[in-house]
Amino acid sequence: MPIDKLKSTNKNHLMMNILYLILIISNIILFIGLIDYYSKTGISVQLQAYEYFSSVIPTVIIIGFITAKLSGLREKGGSLYEFGALIMITVISILTAYFGEKANTAELFGPYLEMFRILSITLIFILMATMLKPFKEIIRGDFTKRNLFVCFIIFAVLAIYATYFNIDVDGAPANVRCMVVMISGLFGGPFVGIPVGIISAAYRFTMGGVTAFPCAVSTVIGGIVGSLFFILNDKKFPRPLEAVIIMFLFTGFEMLMVVVMTPPDISFPFIQNIYPKMLFASVVGIILFSLAIKTRKDEMKSSKGEKESIIDELTDEVGANDEIKALKDEIKTLKKDIEKLKKE
Protein backbone atom coordinates (compact mmCIF):
# COMPACT_ATOMS: atom_id res chain seq x y z
CA MET A 1 0.00 0.00 0.00
CA PRO A 2 1.43 3.44 -0.92
CA ILE A 3 2.48 5.66 2.00
CA ASP A 4 0.03 8.47 1.03
CA LYS A 5 -2.89 6.03 0.90
CA LEU A 6 -1.88 4.51 4.24
CA LYS A 7 -1.77 7.97 5.86
CA SER A 8 -5.20 8.80 4.41
CA THR A 9 -6.65 5.54 5.76
CA ASN A 10 -5.21 6.16 9.24
CA LYS A 11 -6.59 9.72 9.20
CA ASN A 12 -10.05 8.42 8.25
CA HIS A 13 -9.96 5.89 11.07
CA LEU A 14 -8.93 8.59 13.53
CA MET A 15 -11.75 10.91 12.43
CA MET A 16 -14.26 8.06 12.60
CA ASN A 17 -13.14 7.20 16.13
CA ILE A 18 -13.56 10.86 17.13
CA LEU A 19 -17.12 10.80 15.77
CA TYR A 20 -17.86 7.62 17.72
CA LEU A 21 -16.37 9.20 20.85
CA ILE A 22 -18.55 12.31 20.52
CA LEU A 23 -21.68 10.18 20.13
CA ILE A 24 -20.72 7.92 23.05
CA ILE A 25 -20.07 10.91 25.34
CA SER A 26 -23.42 12.44 24.36
CA ASN A 27 -25.17 9.18 25.29
CA ILE A 28 -23.35 9.04 28.63
CA ILE A 29 -24.41 12.62 29.38
CA LEU A 30 -28.00 11.74 28.43
CA PHE A 31 -28.15 8.70 30.72
CA ILE A 32 -26.58 10.61 33.61
CA GLY A 33 -29.23 13.31 33.17
CA LEU A 34 -32.01 10.71 33.04
CA ILE A 35 -30.77 8.98 36.20
CA ASP A 36 -30.51 12.31 38.00
CA TYR A 37 -34.01 13.31 36.90
CA TYR A 38 -35.54 9.99 37.94
CA SER A 39 -33.83 10.10 41.30
CA LYS A 40 -35.42 13.50 41.97
CA THR A 41 -38.90 12.68 40.68
CA GLY A 42 -39.28 9.42 42.60
CA ILE A 43 -38.58 5.71 42.51
CA SER A 44 -41.92 4.85 40.85
CA VAL A 45 -40.94 6.72 37.69
CA GLN A 46 -37.53 5.12 37.83
CA LEU A 47 -38.97 1.62 38.03
CA GLN A 48 -41.35 2.35 35.19
CA ALA A 49 -38.46 3.53 33.04
CA TYR A 50 -36.44 0.42 33.90
CA GLU A 51 -39.42 -1.73 33.02
CA TYR A 52 -39.72 -0.11 29.61
CA PHE A 53 -35.99 -0.39 28.92
CA SER A 54 -35.82 -3.97 30.19
CA SER A 55 -38.55 -4.94 27.75
CA VAL A 56 -37.18 -3.12 24.71
CA ILE A 57 -33.38 -3.43 24.85
CA PRO A 58 -33.20 -7.26 25.21
CA THR A 59 -35.78 -7.66 22.45
CA VAL A 60 -33.87 -5.38 20.07
CA ILE A 61 -30.53 -7.08 20.81
CA ILE A 62 -31.86 -10.63 20.43
CA ILE A 63 -33.88 -9.89 17.29
CA GLY A 64 -30.95 -8.00 15.78
CA PHE A 65 -28.46 -10.77 16.57
CA ILE A 66 -30.63 -13.60 15.25
CA THR A 67 -31.70 -11.63 12.17
CA ALA A 68 -28.07 -10.82 11.36
CA LYS A 69 -27.28 -14.54 11.40
CA LEU A 70 -30.25 -15.62 9.28
CA SER A 71 -28.63 -14.61 5.97
CA GLY A 72 -25.63 -16.82 6.78
CA LEU A 73 -27.90 -19.69 7.80
CA ARG A 74 -29.73 -19.43 4.47
CA GLU A 75 -26.46 -20.12 2.64
CA LYS A 76 -25.66 -23.15 4.83
CA GLY A 77 -29.03 -24.77 4.34
CA GLY A 78 -32.74 -24.17 4.24
CA SER A 79 -33.42 -26.21 7.38
CA LEU A 80 -30.98 -24.13 9.45
CA TYR A 81 -32.54 -20.92 8.15
CA GLU A 82 -36.04 -22.11 9.05
CA PHE A 83 -34.80 -23.22 12.46
CA GLY A 84 -33.27 -19.77 13.06
CA ALA A 85 -36.51 -18.04 12.08
CA LEU A 86 -38.40 -20.38 14.42
CA ILE A 87 -36.04 -19.47 17.29
CA MET A 88 -36.62 -15.76 16.64
CA ILE A 89 -40.40 -16.20 16.73
CA THR A 90 -40.12 -18.30 19.91
CA VAL A 91 -37.94 -15.68 21.62
CA ILE A 92 -40.39 -12.92 20.76
CA SER A 93 -43.28 -15.03 22.08
CA ILE A 94 -41.46 -15.78 25.35
CA LEU A 95 -40.52 -12.13 25.88
CA THR A 96 -44.08 -11.04 25.15
CA ALA A 97 -45.47 -13.56 27.65
CA TYR A 98 -42.87 -12.69 30.30
CA PHE A 99 -43.29 -8.95 30.17
CA GLY A 100 -47.03 -9.32 29.77
CA GLU A 101 -47.09 -10.64 33.33
CA LYS A 102 -45.18 -7.61 34.64
CA ALA A 103 -47.06 -4.88 32.81
CA ASN A 104 -50.10 -4.17 30.76
CA THR A 105 -49.07 -5.82 27.48
CA ALA A 106 -51.37 -3.76 25.28
CA GLU A 107 -50.18 -0.54 26.89
CA LEU A 108 -46.53 -1.55 26.75
CA PHE A 109 -46.27 -3.11 23.28
CA GLY A 110 -49.03 -1.19 21.50
CA PRO A 111 -46.83 1.84 20.68
CA TYR A 112 -44.00 -0.44 19.50
CA LEU A 113 -46.31 -2.33 17.17
CA GLU A 114 -47.63 0.98 15.85
CA MET A 115 -44.06 2.24 15.33
CA PHE A 116 -43.19 -1.01 13.59
CA ARG A 117 -46.18 -0.54 11.25
CA ILE A 118 -44.93 2.93 10.23
CA LEU A 119 -41.37 1.57 9.97
CA SER A 120 -42.51 -1.34 7.78
CA ILE A 121 -44.26 0.92 5.27
CA THR A 122 -41.22 3.22 5.11
CA LEU A 123 -38.82 0.30 4.68
CA ILE A 124 -40.95 -1.26 1.94
CA PHE A 125 -40.60 1.91 -0.13
CA ILE A 126 -36.85 2.14 0.63
CA LEU A 127 -36.24 -1.51 -0.28
CA MET A 128 -38.27 -1.09 -3.48
CA ALA A 129 -36.08 1.92 -4.30
CA THR A 130 -32.92 -0.19 -3.93
CA MET A 131 -34.17 -2.28 -6.86
CA LEU A 132 -34.01 0.75 -9.16
CA LYS A 133 -31.06 1.11 -11.51
CA PRO A 134 -29.66 4.33 -9.93
CA PHE A 135 -29.58 2.69 -6.49
CA LYS A 136 -27.89 -0.44 -7.85
CA GLU A 137 -25.27 1.72 -9.58
CA ILE A 138 -24.61 3.61 -6.33
CA ILE A 139 -24.14 0.28 -4.54
CA ARG A 140 -21.51 -0.54 -7.20
CA GLY A 141 -19.83 2.80 -6.47
CA ASP A 142 -21.09 4.74 -9.50
CA PHE A 143 -21.98 8.12 -7.95
CA THR A 144 -23.14 10.03 -11.02
CA LYS A 145 -25.17 13.25 -10.72
CA ARG A 146 -28.24 11.46 -12.08
CA ASN A 147 -27.96 8.59 -9.58
CA LEU A 148 -27.45 10.95 -6.64
CA PHE A 149 -30.37 13.15 -7.72
CA VAL A 150 -32.77 10.20 -7.95
CA CYS A 151 -31.52 8.96 -4.58
CA PHE A 152 -32.02 12.42 -3.05
CA ILE A 153 -35.60 12.78 -4.35
CA ILE A 154 -36.66 9.36 -3.05
CA PHE A 155 -35.11 9.81 0.40
CA ALA A 156 -36.49 13.36 0.72
CA VAL A 157 -40.02 12.15 0.00
CA LEU A 158 -39.62 9.25 2.45
CA ALA A 159 -38.22 11.54 5.16
CA ILE A 160 -41.24 13.85 4.83
CA TYR A 161 -43.53 10.81 4.89
CA ALA A 162 -41.78 9.50 8.02
CA THR A 163 -42.24 12.92 9.65
CA TYR A 164 -45.91 13.32 8.75
CA PHE A 165 -46.97 9.80 9.74
CA ASN A 166 -46.12 9.45 13.41
CA ILE A 167 -47.67 8.00 16.54
CA ASP A 168 -48.73 9.97 19.57
CA VAL A 169 -46.97 8.78 22.72
CA ASP A 170 -48.51 10.66 25.66
CA GLY A 171 -48.72 13.84 23.59
CA ALA A 172 -45.28 13.41 21.95
CA PRO A 173 -44.91 12.56 18.21
CA ALA A 174 -42.71 9.51 17.61
CA ASN A 175 -41.44 8.78 14.09
CA VAL A 176 -38.54 7.33 12.09
CA ARG A 177 -37.49 10.53 10.32
CA CYS A 178 -33.92 10.54 11.67
CA MET A 179 -33.49 6.90 10.63
CA VAL A 180 -34.37 7.78 7.02
CA VAL A 181 -32.05 10.80 7.09
CA MET A 182 -29.20 8.75 8.60
CA ILE A 183 -29.64 6.03 5.98
CA SER A 184 -29.62 8.63 3.19
CA GLY A 185 -26.29 9.99 4.46
CA LEU A 186 -24.70 6.58 5.01
CA PHE A 187 -25.88 5.41 1.57
CA GLY A 188 -25.56 8.44 -0.71
CA GLY A 189 -23.10 10.71 1.10
CA PRO A 190 -23.25 14.49 1.61
CA PHE A 191 -25.00 15.28 -1.69
CA VAL A 192 -27.95 13.16 -0.51
CA GLY A 193 -27.85 13.08 3.29
CA ILE A 194 -27.38 16.80 3.99
CA PRO A 195 -30.13 18.18 1.67
CA VAL A 196 -32.51 15.42 2.80
CA GLY A 197 -31.76 16.38 6.41
CA ILE A 198 -32.37 20.08 5.73
CA ILE A 199 -35.67 19.53 3.86
CA SER A 200 -37.11 17.09 6.42
CA ALA A 201 -35.92 19.34 9.28
CA ALA A 202 -37.66 22.34 7.73
CA TYR A 203 -40.84 20.31 7.36
CA ARG A 204 -40.63 19.14 10.98
CA PHE A 205 -40.14 22.72 12.16
CA THR A 206 -43.30 23.88 10.33
CA MET A 207 -45.31 21.29 12.27
CA GLY A 208 -44.58 23.25 15.45
CA GLY A 209 -44.49 22.08 19.03
CA VAL A 210 -42.14 22.57 21.97
CA THR A 211 -39.59 20.11 20.53
CA ALA A 212 -39.83 21.37 16.92
CA PHE A 213 -36.53 23.26 16.99
CA PRO A 214 -34.32 20.60 18.70
CA CYS A 215 -35.83 17.87 16.50
CA ALA A 216 -35.12 19.96 13.38
CA VAL A 217 -31.54 20.64 14.49
CA SER A 218 -30.87 16.96 15.28
CA THR A 219 -32.31 15.99 11.88
CA VAL A 220 -29.85 18.24 10.03
CA ILE A 221 -27.00 16.91 12.19
CA GLY A 222 -28.17 13.37 11.36
CA GLY A 223 -27.65 14.03 7.66
CA ILE A 224 -24.20 15.51 8.34
CA VAL A 225 -23.11 12.67 10.66
CA GLY A 226 -24.31 9.98 8.23
CA SER A 227 -22.45 11.72 5.39
CA LEU A 228 -19.24 11.97 7.44
CA PHE A 229 -19.32 8.25 8.21
CA PHE A 230 -19.92 7.61 4.50
CA ILE A 231 -16.86 9.68 3.50
CA LEU A 232 -14.61 8.21 6.20
CA ASN A 233 -15.70 4.68 5.23
CA ASP A 234 -14.36 5.10 1.66
CA LYS A 235 -17.79 5.99 0.26
CA LYS A 236 -19.33 2.67 1.29
CA PHE A 237 -22.36 1.85 3.39
CA PRO A 238 -21.09 0.48 6.73
CA ARG A 239 -21.39 -3.12 7.78
CA PRO A 240 -24.67 -4.04 9.56
CA LEU A 241 -23.13 -4.01 13.05
CA GLU A 242 -21.46 -0.63 12.47
CA ALA A 243 -24.70 0.83 11.08
CA VAL A 244 -26.61 -0.39 14.16
CA ILE A 245 -24.05 1.14 16.54
CA ILE A 246 -24.17 4.47 14.68
CA MET A 247 -27.99 4.54 14.75
CA PHE A 248 -28.13 3.50 18.41
CA LEU A 249 -25.68 6.21 19.46
CA PHE A 250 -27.23 8.92 17.30
CA THR A 251 -30.71 8.27 18.70
CA GLY A 252 -29.27 9.06 22.13
CA PHE A 253 -27.60 12.17 20.69
CA GLU A 254 -30.96 13.27 19.26
CA MET A 255 -32.56 12.92 22.70
CA LEU A 256 -29.72 14.95 24.22
CA MET A 257 -30.50 17.78 21.79
CA VAL A 258 -34.05 17.82 23.15
CA VAL A 259 -32.71 17.98 26.73
CA VAL A 260 -30.32 20.82 25.93
CA MET A 261 -32.84 22.94 24.00
CA THR A 262 -35.99 22.51 26.11
CA PRO A 263 -36.77 22.99 29.81
CA PRO A 264 -36.08 19.91 32.00
CA ASP A 265 -39.70 19.61 33.13
CA ILE A 266 -40.65 19.13 29.45
CA SER A 267 -37.63 17.32 27.99
CA PHE A 268 -37.22 14.45 30.47
CA PRO A 269 -40.88 13.34 30.47
CA PHE A 270 -40.76 13.61 26.67
CA ILE A 271 -37.68 11.37 26.50
CA GLN A 272 -39.08 8.89 29.00
CA ASN A 273 -42.13 8.37 26.78
CA ILE A 274 -40.61 8.53 23.32
CA TYR A 275 -36.98 7.39 23.49
CA PRO A 276 -37.54 3.60 23.82
CA LYS A 277 -40.03 3.56 20.92
CA MET A 278 -37.82 5.59 18.58
CA LEU A 279 -34.75 3.57 19.57
CA PHE A 280 -36.59 0.33 18.86
CA ALA A 281 -37.84 1.46 15.44
CA SER A 282 -34.56 3.07 14.36
CA VAL A 283 -32.37 0.11 15.32
CA VAL A 284 -34.67 -2.53 13.82
CA GLY A 285 -35.09 -0.41 10.68
CA ILE A 286 -31.38 0.05 10.05
CA ILE A 287 -30.75 -3.66 10.73
CA LEU A 288 -33.22 -4.63 8.01
CA PHE A 289 -31.93 -2.00 5.57
CA SER A 290 -28.29 -3.03 6.19
CA LEU A 291 -29.12 -6.68 5.54
CA ALA A 292 -30.97 -5.71 2.36
CA ILE A 293 -27.94 -3.74 1.11
CA LYS A 294 -25.65 -6.66 2.00
CA THR A 295 -27.93 -9.03 0.07
CA ARG A 296 -27.88 -6.70 -2.97
CA LYS A 297 -24.06 -6.59 -2.84
CA ASP A 298 -23.83 -10.38 -2.57
CA GLU A 299 -26.18 -10.77 -5.54
CA MET A 300 -24.05 -8.39 -7.59
CA LYS A 301 -20.86 -10.22 -6.64
CA SER A 302 -22.49 -13.54 -7.53
CA SER A 303 -23.71 -12.14 -10.85
CA LYS A 304 -20.27 -10.66 -11.54
CA GLY A 305 -18.64 -13.99 -10.70
CA GLU A 306 -20.98 -15.83 -13.07
CA LYS A 307 -20.23 -13.34 -15.86
CA GLU A 308 -16.49 -13.66 -15.26
CA SER A 309 -16.83 -17.45 -15.34
CA ILE A 310 -18.69 -17.28 -18.67
CA ILE A 311 -16.02 -14.93 -20.07
CA ASP A 312 -13.29 -17.34 -18.95
CA GLU A 313 -15.09 -20.26 -20.61
CA LEU A 314 -15.52 -18.32 -23.84
CA THR A 315 -11.86 -17.26 -23.69
CA ASP A 316 -10.84 -20.90 -23.24
CA GLU A 317 -13.01 -21.91 -26.20
CA VAL A 318 -11.50 -19.16 -28.34
CA GLY A 319 -8.05 -20.28 -27.25
CA ALA A 320 -8.89 -23.89 -28.09
CA ASN A 321 -10.19 -22.84 -31.51
CA ASP A 322 -6.98 -20.91 -32.14
CA GLU A 323 -4.95 -24.00 -31.25
CA ILE A 324 -7.04 -26.15 -33.63
CA LYS A 325 -6.55 -23.59 -36.39
CA ALA A 326 -2.80 -23.58 -35.77
CA LEU A 327 -2.72 -27.39 -35.95
CA LYS A 328 -4.63 -27.33 -39.23
CA ASP A 329 -2.15 -24.83 -40.64
CA GLU A 330 0.76 -27.05 -39.55
CA ILE A 331 -0.87 -30.10 -41.18
CA LYS A 332 -1.32 -28.17 -44.43
CA THR A 333 2.31 -27.09 -44.29
CA LEU A 334 3.46 -30.68 -43.67
CA LYS A 335 1.33 -31.95 -46.56
CA LYS A 336 2.93 -29.40 -48.88
CA ASP A 337 6.42 -30.41 -47.69
CA ILE A 338 5.60 -34.11 -48.30
CA GLU A 339 4.34 -33.35 -51.83
CA LYS A 340 7.56 -31.46 -52.57
CA LEU A 341 9.67 -34.37 -51.34
CA LYS A 342 7.73 -36.80 -53.54
CA LYS A 343 8.34 -34.65 -56.60
CA GLU A 344 12.05 -34.49 -55.86
Side-chain angles (χ1 to χ4, degrees), residues 201-219:
Y203 181 71
R204 170 65 187 92
F205 188 74
T206 60
M207 294 177 70
V210 180
T211 60
F213 182 67
C215 287
V217 171
S218 61
T219 300

Side-chain angles (χ1 to χ4, degrees), residues 245-257:
I245 292 172
I246 293 168
M247 193 71 254
F248 179 90
L249 294 175
F250 187 79
T251 304
F253 177 85
E254 181 185 6
M255 295 299 105
L256 182 63
M257 290 293 99

Side-chain angles (χ1 to χ4, degrees), residues 41-66:
T41 54
I43 191 69
S44 59
V45 178
Q46 198 170 8
L47 287 175
Q48 184 185 17
Y50 288 153
E51 190 173 78
Y52 273 94
F53 275 99
S54 65
S55 64
V56 176
I57 299 300
T59 307
V60 170
I61 293 173
I62 293 171
I63 293 174
F65 176 78
I66 296 175

Side-chain angles (χ1 to χ4, degrees), residues 59-285:
T59 307
V60 170
I61 293 173
I62 293 171
I63 293 174
F65 176 78
I66 296 175
T67 306
K69 298 297 180 184
L70 286 180
S71 58
L73 292 177
R74 187 194 290 273
E75 296 173 1
K76 293 181 181 179
S79 59
L80 285 174
Y81 175 79
E82 292 172 3
F83 183 67
L86 181 62
I87 289 175
M88 185 171 67
I89 294 170
T90 305
V91 168
I92 295 172
S93 301
I94 292 172
L95 286 171
T96 304
Y98 175 73
F99 291 110
E101 295 177 359
K102 293 199 165 191
N104 187 332
T105 304
E107 181 184 346
L108 180 62
F109 286 98
Y112 295 100
L113 294 175
E114 194 66 18
M115 281 292 288
F116 190 77
R117 181 182 65 81
I118 295 173
L119 170 67
S120 300
I121 296 170
T122 306
L123 277 176
I124 287 171
F125 285 117
I126 293 177
L127 297 179
M128 287 175 63
T130 61
M131 299 174 68
L132 298 175
K133 186 178 178 182
F135 274 73
K136 289 182 178 180
E137 290 179 352
I138 286 177
I139 293 173
R140 292 193 190 100
D142 189 7
F143 297 95
T144 63
K145 290 181 180 179
R146 174 181 170 274
N147 293 342
L148 291 173
F149 180 74
V150 172
C151 189
F152 155 69
I153 292 296
I154 291 174
F155 275 118
V157 171
L158 288 173
I160 292 173
Y161 166 86
T163 305
Y164 181 77
F165 289 96
N166 55 66
I167 66 168
D168 183 84
V169 181
D170 296 332
N175 53 57
V176 291
R177 178 185 63 258
C178 271
M179 182 207 71
V180 176
V181 174
M182 179 62 71
I183 287 175
S184 69
L186 292 173
F187 182 77
F191 294 107
V192 177
I194 294 176
V196 168
I198 292 171
I199 290 172
S200 57
Y203 181 71
R204 170 65 187 92
F205 188 74
T206 60
M207 294 177 70
V210 180
T211 60
F213 182 67
C215 287
V217 171
S218 61
T219 300
V220 175
I221 295 175
I224 295 171
V225 170
S227 300
L228 285 174
F229 275 109
F230 168 84
I231 294 169
L232 297 174
N233 196 42
D234 297 328
K235 296 184 178 181
K236 296 176 184 176
F237 191 86
R239 291 176 297 179
L241 180 59
E242 292 174 344
V244 169
I245 292 172
I246 293 168
M247 193 71 254
F248 179 90
L249 294 175
F250 187 79
T251 304
F253 177 85
E254 181 185 6
M255 295 299 105
L256 182 63
M257 290 293 99
V258 175
V259 172
V260 171
M261 298 182 185
T262 55
D265 59 329
I266 296 174
S267 61
F268 284 110
F270 174 86
I271 291 171
Q272 175 194 340
N273 296 331
I274 208 170
Y275 181 34
K277 285 82 174 177
M278 292 183 66
L279 181 64
F280 167 79
S282 297
V283 170
V284 171

